[in-house]
Amino acid sequence: MTNKNYWNIDSQHLKFVLSVIGGSQDLKLTPVQKDDIKNGIISIVEEVNACIFSGGTDTGIMKICGEAAATYKEKHKDEKFVLIGIATWKKINNKECFIPDGTRFIIEISN
């Protein structure tokens, strides 16, 4: 769906998009390196209301994106952190719940 109202993303988050990509394997980072990446992502969101795209799994750099979103929400309770994970089909568990009629998938967004 391209309708931004469907996704509940306001136009301020569509002015700057950051794609964070990397391997899905476990990264060998020191805690300082991991925090530097996480804080860098948070800073970008704070500065320009960026919409972040990542690979959508809970590993590697994508996991750090999720941790950045959680940290941001703790600090800015009323502000939105837009993080969209696009995972490969083979990485999704319980795929059948996304295919109600066998021809398409529907994702419900909850707040």
Side-chain angles (χ1 to χ4, degrees):
M1 275 260 163
T2 59
N3 182 338
K4 67 183 176 188
N5 292 329
Y6 179 86
W7 291 100
N8 196 23
I9 301 173
D10 51 45
S11 61
Q12 75 176 6
H13 289 96
L14 296 175
K15 292 179 181 173
F16 188 90
V17 174
L18 175 66
S19 177
V20 181
I21 57 172
S24 61
Q25 68 276 5
D26 193 26
L27 295 174
K28 305 293 185 220
L29 298 174
T30 67
V32 171
Q33 291 171 321
K34 183 178 170 183
D35 284 343
D36 284 347
I37 294 169
K38 185 170 67 172
N39 291 330
I41 292 168
I42 291 169
S43 293
I44 291 169
V45 171
E46 288 174 334
E47 292 289 322
V48 296
N49 291 319
C51 174
I52 310 292
F53 282 82
S54 80
T57 62
D58 195 24
T59 57
I61 193 71
M62 297 163 287
K63 183 174 185 172
I64 295 172
C65 288
E67 292 169 359
T71 300
Y72 181 90
K73 289 304 287 181
E74 289 173 8
K75 185 176 176 184
H76 304 282
K77 300 209 183 302
D78 296 329
E79 295 181 30
K80 188 181 287 189
F81 186 109
V82 178
L83 174 59
I84 299 172
I86 303 172
T88 60
W89 191 244
K90 68 181 181 178
K91 295 279 187 184
I92 298 173
N93 294 327
N94 303 315
K95 295 175 188 66
E96 53 281 350
C97 72
F98 292 111
I99 311 174
D101 66 4
T103 61
R104 59 194 169 102
F105 64 93
I106 299 170
I107 301 173
E108 290 188 29
I109 307 298
S110 60
N111 292 335

